[in-house]
């Protein structure tokens, strides 16, 4: 039984160390806001 506990603890240590290794310095990417489309209201050229 103690070998099973030892093996399980070793697996847990390896898994956690792998997670901490990858969760180190990550590059933060900031999203730029999308510019609003330019909208010009149509102007009637003919008078009815």
């Amino acid at each position: 039984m103690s070998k099973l506990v030892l093996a399980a603890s070793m697996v847990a240590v390896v898994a956690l160390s792998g997670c901490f290794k990858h969760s180190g310095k990550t590059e933060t990417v900031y999203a730029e806001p999308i510019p609003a489309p330019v909208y010009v209201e149509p102007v009637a050229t003919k008078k009815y």
Side-chain angles (χ1 to χ4, degrees):
M1 183 78 175
S2 64
K3 287 184 180 181
L4 179 63
V5 172
L6 180 64
S9 64
M10 289 297 290
V11 168
V13 168
V14 169
L16 288 176
S17 66
C19 291
F20 285 125
K21 182 178 179 182
H22 291 295
S23 66
K25 296 178 182 176
T26 57
E27 182 178 336
T28 305
V29 178
Y30 296 101
E32 295 182 11
I34 300 173
V38 177
Y39 179 75
V40 178
E41 291 191 24
V43 178
T45 55
K46 293 183 181 178
K47 295 198 176 202
Y48 295 103

